Amino acid sequence: PRHKCGNQKSCPQNYFAFKIVSGAANVVGPSICFEDLVLMSSIKNNIGRGLNIALVNGTTGQLLKTESFDMYSG
């Protein structure tokens, strides 16, 4: 069976499914999946070099904001 975000197991009831994948240099970009919805990826063109963060409401699961912080250039 297929599980949310391509995880190996289903999450227990009342838990959110998520998957965070780190990038590989500048070849493969990072991605963040939450409840089977890709929040950030190179395809969505909303990732950057450094830390990529998605702010999600912990009660509703609603995406509030995405941002990337370039730790190299300051």
Side-chain angles (χ1 to χ4, degrees):
R2 187 188 177 291
H3 304 290
K4 291 180 180 176
C5 293
N7 289 325
Q8 293 182 354
K9 294 193 253 180
S10 290
C11 292
Q13 192 172 6
N14 298 322
Y15 283 78
F16 293 118
F18 70 93
K19 187 173 189 177
I20 300 172
V21 179
S22 178
N26 58 353
V27 179
V28 177
S31 67
I32 300 175
C33 177
F34 184 83
E35 281 296 293
D36 229 14
L37 177 67
V38 176
L39 303 180
M40 299 183 80
S41 71
S42 55
I43 294 171
K44 293 182 78 91
N45 200 28
N46 64 348
I47 58 169
R49 178 174 71 177
L51 297 175
N52 291 278
I53 298 174
L55 179 63
V56 177
N57 182 307
T59 303
T60 65
Q62 176 186 6
L63 176 64
L64 302 174
K65 185 176 182 179
T66 61
E67 191 71 52
S68 63
F69 299 92
D70 188 341
M71 304 301 287
Y72 181 75
S73 69

PDB file of all heavy atoms in Angstrom, residues 31-35 37-41 44 46-47 54-56 61 63 66:
ATOM      1  N   SER A  31      13.455  18.857  -0.437  1.00  0.00           N
ATOM      2  CA  SER A  31      11.999  18.915  -0.546  1.00  0.00           C
ATOM      3  C   SER A  31      11.376  18.658   0.822  1.00  0.00           C
ATOM      4  O   SER A  31      11.956  17.977   1.665  1.00  0.00           O
ATOM      5  CB  SER A  31      11.470  17.903  -1.560  1.00  0.00           C
ATOM      6  OG  SER A  31      11.685  16.586  -1.107  1.00  0.00           O
ATOM      7  N   ILE A  32      10.203  19.235   1.024  1.00  0.00           N
ATOM      8  CA  ILE A  32       9.434  19.038   2.242  1.00  0.00           C
ATOM      9  C   ILE A  32       8.025  18.635   1.835  1.00  0.00           C
ATOM     10  O   ILE A  32       7.359  19.356   1.097  1.00  0.00           O
ATOM     11  CB  ILE A  32       9.402  20.312   3.111  1.00  0.00           C
ATOM     12  CG1 ILE A  32      10.812  20.733   3.526  1.00  0.00           C
ATOM     13  CG2 ILE A  32       8.508  20.102   4.337  1.00  0.00           C
ATOM     14  CD1 ILE A  32      10.880  22.050   4.274  1.00  0.00           C
ATOM     15  N   CYS A  33       7.587  17.466   2.312  1.00  0.00           N
ATOM     16  CA  CYS A  33       6.241  16.959   2.055  1.00  0.00           C
ATOM     17  C   CYS A  33       5.511  16.895   3.394  1.00  0.00           C
ATOM     18  O   CYS A  33       6.075  16.460   4.398  1.00  0.00           O
ATOM     19  CB  CYS A  33       6.306  15.571   1.426  1.00  0.00           C
ATOM     20  SG  CYS A  33       4.690  14.815   1.159  1.00  0.00           S
ATOM     21  N   PHE A  34       4.267  17.323   3.414  1.00  0.00           N
ATOM     22  CA  PHE A  34       3.455  17.305   4.626  1.00  0.00           C
ATOM     23  C   PHE A  34       2.052  16.853   4.271  1.00  0.00           C
ATOM     24  O   PHE A  34       1.398  17.472   3.432  1.00  0.00           O
ATOM     25  CB  PHE A  34       3.434  18.709   5.254  1.00  0.00           C
ATOM     26  CG  PHE A  34       2.712  18.784   6.561  1.00  0.00           C
ATOM     27  CD1 PHE A  34       3.346  18.433   7.732  1.00  0.00           C
ATOM     28  CD2 PHE A  34       1.399  19.208   6.607  1.00  0.00           C
ATOM     29  CE1 PHE A  34       2.677  18.500   8.944  1.00  0.00           C
ATOM     30  CE2 PHE A  34       0.723  19.278   7.811  1.00  0.00           C
ATOM     31  CZ  PHE A  34       1.364  18.932   8.986  1.00  0.00           C
ATOM     32  N   GLU A  35       1.611  15.761   4.873  1.00  0.00           N
ATOM     33  CA  GLU A  35       0.282  15.211   4.620  1.00  0.00           C
ATOM     34  C   GLU A  35       0.027  14.973   3.129  1.00  0.00           C
ATOM     35  O   GLU A  35      -1.044  15.299   2.604  1.00  0.00           O
ATOM     36  CB  GLU A  35      -0.816  16.101   5.216  1.00  0.00           C
ATOM     37  CG  GLU A  35      -1.002  15.932   6.708  1.00  0.00           C
ATOM     38  CD  GLU A  35      -1.471  14.542   7.092  1.00  0.00           C
ATOM     39  OE1 GLU A  35      -2.609  14.174   6.760  1.00  0.00           O
ATOM     40  OE2 GLU A  35      -0.689  13.815   7.740  1.00  0.00           O
ATOM     41  N   LEU A  37       1.266  16.469   0.602  1.00  0.00           N
ATOM     42  CA  LEU A  37       1.313  17.688  -0.197  1.00  0.00           C
ATOM     43  C   LEU A  37       2.745  18.218  -0.170  1.00  0.00           C
ATOM     44  O   LEU A  37       3.292  18.464   0.922  1.00  0.00           O
ATOM     45  CB  LEU A  37       0.348  18.742   0.365  1.00  0.00           C
ATOM     46  CG  LEU A  37       0.340  20.090  -0.326  1.00  0.00           C
ATOM     47  CD1 LEU A  37      -0.221  19.960  -1.742  1.00  0.00           C
ATOM     48  CD2 LEU A  37      -0.488  21.077   0.459  1.00  0.00           C
ATOM     49  N   VAL A  38       3.364  18.368  -1.329  1.00  0.00           N
ATOM     50  CA  VAL A  38       4.728  18.896  -1.392  1.00  0.00           C
ATOM     51  C   VAL A  38       4.661  20.399  -1.119  1.00  0.00           C
ATOM     52  O   VAL A  38       4.036  21.156  -1.862  1.00  0.00           O
ATOM     53  CB  VAL A  38       5.379  18.602  -2.758  1.00  0.00           C
ATOM     54  CG1 VAL A  38       6.757  19.236  -2.829  1.00  0.00           C
ATOM     55  CG2 VAL A  38       5.470  17.108  -2.994  1.00  0.00           C
ATOM     56  N   LEU A  39       5.297  20.813  -0.019  1.00  0.00           N
ATOM     57  CA  LEU A  39       5.292  22.222   0.368  1.00  0.00           C
ATOM     58  C   LEU A  39       6.437  22.987  -0.272  1.00  0.00           C
ATOM     59  O   LEU A  39       6.279  24.138  -0.654  1.00  0.00           O
ATOM     60  CB  LEU A  39       5.387  22.356   1.895  1.00  0.00           C
ATOM     61  CG  LEU A  39       4.315  21.650   2.717  1.00  0.00           C
ATOM     62  CD1 LEU A  39       4.560  21.899   4.197  1.00  0.00           C
ATOM     63  CD2 LEU A  39       2.933  22.123   2.309  1.00  0.00           C
ATOM     64  N   MET A  40       7.601  22.353  -0.358  1.00  0.00           N
ATOM     65  CA  MET A  40       8.783  22.998  -0.923  1.00  0.00           C
ATOM     66  C   MET A  40       9.530  21.997  -1.797  1.00  0.00           C
ATOM     67  O   MET A  40       9.724  20.851  -1.398  1.00  0.00           O
ATOM     68  CB  MET A  40       9.709  23.519   0.179  1.00  0.00           C
ATOM     69  CG  MET A  40       9.090  24.545   1.087  1.00  0.00           C
ATOM     70  SD  MET A  40      10.252  25.171   2.314  1.00  0.00           S
ATOM     71  CE  MET A  40      11.152  26.368   1.314  1.00  0.00           C
ATOM     72  N   SER A  41       9.969  22.439  -2.977  1.00  0.00           N
ATOM     73  CA  SER A  41      10.769  21.590  -3.860  1.00  0.00           C
ATOM     74  C   SER A  41      11.326  22.444  -4.994  1.00  0.00           C
ATOM     75  O   SER A  41      10.890  23.574  -5.205  1.00  0.00           O
ATOM     76  CB  SER A  41       9.933  20.452  -4.442  1.00  0.00           C
ATOM     77  OG  SER A  41       9.018  20.944  -5.384  1.00  0.00           O
ATOM     78  N   LYS A  44       8.574  23.304  -7.469  1.00  0.00           N
ATOM     79  CA  LYS A  44       7.737  24.441  -7.063  1.00  0.00           C
ATOM     80  C   LYS A  44       8.529  25.757  -7.104  1.00  0.00           C
ATOM     81  O   LYS A  44       7.960  26.824  -6.941  1.00  0.00           O
ATOM     82  CB  LYS A  44       7.165  24.218  -5.667  1.00  0.00           C
ATOM     83  CG  LYS A  44       6.159  23.080  -5.618  1.00  0.00           C
ATOM     84  CD  LYS A  44       5.571  22.916  -4.245  1.00  0.00           C
ATOM     85  CE  LYS A  44       4.539  23.930  -3.959  1.00  0.00           C
ATOM     86  NZ  LYS A  44       3.186  23.619  -4.273  1.00  0.00           N
ATOM     87  N   ASN A  46      10.570  27.042  -4.912  1.00  0.00           N
ATOM     88  CA  ASN A  46      10.511  27.835  -3.686  1.00  0.00           C
ATOM     89  C   ASN A  46      11.531  27.369  -2.643  1.00  0.00           C
ATOM     90  O   ASN A  46      11.313  27.481  -1.446  1.00  0.00           O
ATOM     91  CB  ASN A  46       9.099  27.804  -3.097  1.00  0.00           C
ATOM     92  CG  ASN A  46       8.652  26.421  -2.661  1.00  0.00           C
ATOM     93  OD1 ASN A  46       9.282  25.429  -2.968  1.00  0.00           O
ATOM     94  ND2 ASN A  46       7.545  26.373  -1.952  1.00  0.00           N
ATOM     95  N   ILE A  47      12.654  26.824  -3.116  1.00  0.00           N
ATOM     96  CA  ILE A  47      13.736  26.431  -2.220  1.00  0.00           C
ATOM     97  C   ILE A  47      14.940  27.307  -2.506  1.00  0.00           C
ATOM     98  O   ILE A  47      15.017  27.971  -3.538  1.00  0.00           O
ATOM     99  CB  ILE A  47      14.115  24.942  -2.390  1.00  0.00           C
ATOM    100  CG1 ILE A  47      14.530  24.666  -3.825  1.00  0.00           C
ATOM    101  CG2 ILE A  47      12.996  24.046  -1.917  1.00  0.00           C
ATOM    102  CD1 ILE A  47      15.168  23.319  -4.037  1.00  0.00           C
ATOM    103  N   ALA A  54       9.468  25.315   6.405  1.00  0.00           N
ATOM    104  CA  ALA A  54       8.031  25.445   6.181  1.00  0.00           C
ATOM    105  C   ALA A  54       7.369  25.558   7.550  1.00  0.00           C
ATOM    106  O   ALA A  54       7.558  24.696   8.406  1.00  0.00           O
ATOM    107  CB  ALA A  54       7.485  24.239   5.422  1.00  0.00           C
ATOM    108  N   LEU A  55       6.615  26.619   7.762  1.00  0.00           N
ATOM    109  CA  LEU A  55       5.901  26.832   9.011  1.00  0.00           C
ATOM    110  C   LEU A  55       4.473  26.335   8.834  1.00  0.00           C
ATOM    111  O   LEU A  55       3.757  26.792   7.947  1.00  0.00           O
ATOM    112  CB  LEU A  55       5.905  28.323   9.379  1.00  0.00           C
ATOM    113  CG  LEU A  55       5.184  28.716  10.652  1.00  0.00           C
ATOM    114  CD1 LEU A  55       5.851  28.073  11.858  1.00  0.00           C
ATOM    115  CD2 LEU A  55       5.181  30.233  10.784  1.00  0.00           C
ATOM    116  N   VAL A  56       4.084  25.357   9.667  1.00  0.00           N
ATOM    117  CA  VAL A  56       2.783  24.707   9.554  1.00  0.00           C
ATOM    118  C   VAL A  56       2.057  24.817  10.887  1.00  0.00           C
ATOM    119  O   VAL A  56       2.665  24.628  11.947  1.00  0.00           O
ATOM    120  CB  VAL A  56       2.965  23.217   9.165  1.00  0.00           C
ATOM    121  CG1 VAL A  56       1.636  22.504   9.111  1.00  0.00           C
ATOM    122  CG2 VAL A  56       3.693  23.084   7.840  1.00  0.00           C
ATOM    123  N   GLY A  61      -2.732  21.787  10.536  1.00  0.00           N
ATOM    124  CA  GLY A  61      -1.901  21.312   9.436  1.00  0.00           C
ATOM    125  C   GLY A  61      -1.823  22.290   8.280  1.00  0.00           C
ATOM    126  O   GLY A  61      -1.243  21.990   7.244  1.00  0.00           O
ATOM    127  N   LEU A  63      -0.510  25.197   5.991  1.00  0.00           N
ATOM    128  CA  LEU A  63       0.774  25.845   5.695  1.00  0.00           C
ATOM    129  C   LEU A  63       0.633  27.342   5.936  1.00  0.00           C
ATOM    130  O   LEU A  63      -0.275  27.993   5.408  1.00  0.00           O
ATOM    131  CB  LEU A  63       1.188  25.585   4.240  1.00  0.00           C
ATOM    132  CG  LEU A  63       2.455  26.286   3.775  1.00  0.00           C
ATOM    133  CD1 LEU A  63       3.669  25.795   4.551  1.00  0.00           C
ATOM    134  CD2 LEU A  63       2.651  26.103   2.286  1.00  0.00           C
ATOM    135  N   THR A  66       6.579  29.669   3.917  1.00  0.00           N
ATOM    136  CA  THR A  66       7.822  28.978   3.558  1.00  0.00           C
ATOM    137  C   THR A  66       8.897  30.030   3.387  1.00  0.00           C
ATOM    138  O   THR A  66       8.619  31.167   2.966  1.00  0.00           O
ATOM    139  CB  THR A  66       7.682  28.163   2.250  1.00  0.00           C
ATOM    140  OG1 THR A  66       7.351  29.043   1.183  1.00  0.00           O
ATOM    141  CG2 THR A  66       6.640  27.083   2.401  1.00  0.00           C
TER     142      THR A  66
END
